[in-house]
Amino acid sequence: MTKFEPHQQFDIRGDSFEEFVDFLFEHEIPPDTDRNGRRSQRWYDTADIEFEAKELVAFYTKLFTEPAFLLERFSKEKLEQAFWAIMSGPLDCSVEEVVWSSEVPFEERANCVRAMYFLYEKLFAVDPLYTSSNMWWDALAYDWHCDNRNRSNGGEDLLMQDVMFETLQRILSLSSRDCQAAALHGLGHLHHPKTVEAIDAYLKRNLRLDSEMTRYAQAASRFEIL
């Protein structure tokens, strides 16, 4: 039986970038957690956080733009746990939350998403970790898959979808198979109108792609990715 701990209180308003990095990554791994960091209760399941969205968008953008130092500083298990925390709830200050914050100008949030290309190029292409790199866009793009967001609504539903599509296209161009698979996963959920065109171009660039990846790309173009 999982033991639920009392909620932990964090106030990261006014923290430096270094303090922000420690806040995200410097946590012990629960002893009964499996290698993907998702079986037992994690520190961020019980975290109540005071934060400024504008500060966090700037910090996330900086972290994603130059992430390579993380590989030397933290274990693979700590990186995995932190990236699961960063990408989505239940962390109050996750990227999934702050990229939609109306307190932050849209272009700053869009640049944060664009910076995720470098997260893949400089970190996940070197070490894709366990599951977080592949599931990253599942957290960010799934709203369009389940129709919580729709391009026909216009506004940020359309604008952010275009930004994510542009970023996923760039990630799809990386030589790393893991990065390509992650981009296809995201494209399969994002439901952008140019998805078929983008994936067709990918398949034409990669004529020696193995059958498994070919089938996965074709499924993504039909929006049949789980």
Side-chain angles (χ1 to χ4, degrees):
M1 180 178 295
T2 301
K3 179 182 179 182
F4 289 93
E5 300 295 336
H7 276 233
Q8 304 173 77
Q9 307 294 321
F10 297 92
D11 188 343
I12 60 173
R13 292 171 295 183
D15 277 6
S16 67
F17 177 72
E18 285 298 317
E19 290 170 328
F20 173 68
V21 170
D22 284 342
F23 162 72
L24 290 173
F25 291 90
E26 197 58 81
H27 295 275
E28 293 301 316
I29 306 298
D32 58 343
T33 296
D34 68 10
R35 70 176 190 171
N36 67 17
R38 289 182 57 80
R39 184 163 292 168
S40 63
Q41 191 177 48
R42 300 139 296 183
W43 70 271
Y44 53 91
D45 290 324
T46 57
D48 292 328
I49 304 161
E50 296 287 340
F51 64 94
E52 294 289 343
K54 189 174 177 66
E55 288 180 346
L56 259 62
V57 168
F59 283 162
Y60 278 134
T61 303
K62 181 176 180 178
L63 181 68
F64 299 156
T65 302
E66 295 294 343
F69 75 96
L70 297 171
L71 292 167
E72 296 182 1
R73 185 165 167 186
F74 300 105
S75 69
K76 189 167 184 170
E77 288 71 25
K78 284 188 176 182
L79 292 176
E80 180 74 1
Q81 178 175 248
F83 280 116
W84 270 105
I86 290 167
M87 78 171 81
S88 64
L91 190 68
D92 296 336
C93 59
S94 68
V95 164
E96 182 185 32
E97 295 294 329
V98 300
V99 297
W100 293 107
S101 174
S102 60
E103 300 173 16
V104 186
F106 175 78
E107 195 57 27
E108 293 179 28
R109 292 180 278 126
N111 285 336
C112 184
V113 173
R114 293 184 184 110
M116 294 174 191
Y117 165 77
F118 300 105
L119 177 62
Y120 278 84
E121 179 192 43
K122 299 177 181 180
L123 194 152
F124 291 147
V126 177
D127 189 339
L129 305 179
Y130 298 117
T131 61
S132 56
S133 62
N134 184 262
M135 295 298 291
W136 184 269
W137 292 97
D138 196 75
L140 293 169
Y142 200 77
D143 275 347
W144 284 273
H145 188 77
C146 61
D147 212 33
N148 288 337
R149 298 190 183 278
N150 195 299
R151 187 177 184 83
S152 64
N153 294 335
E156 292 193 4
D157 279 18
L158 183 154
L159 294 172
M160 189 61 83
Q161 188 188 38
D162 283 348
V163 171
M164 290 188 183
F165 179 75
E166 164 203 321
T167 305
L168 285 163
Q169 274 193 300
R170 295 188 69 198
I171 295 169
L172 192 60
S173 71
L174 293 171
S175 61
S176 162
R177 177 191 172 94
D178 291 298
C179 291
Q180 292 172 17
L184 290 169
H185 192 172
L187 290 168
H189 289 320
L190 189 63
H191 287 244
H192 193 276
K194 293 185 178 180
T195 297
V196 172
E197 178 184 336
I199 294 178
D200 282 350
Y202 163 75
L203 291 170
K204 289 176 182 176
R205 290 195 308 270
N206 295 274
L207 296 176
R208 297 184 179 180
L209 209 61
D210 63 69
S211 59
E212 180 183 8
M213 278 290 280
T214 299
R215 286 194 299 271
Y216 193 72
Q218 292 168 342
S221 71
R222 297 190 300 268
F223 307 125
E224 295 176 354
I225 295 294
L226 296 179

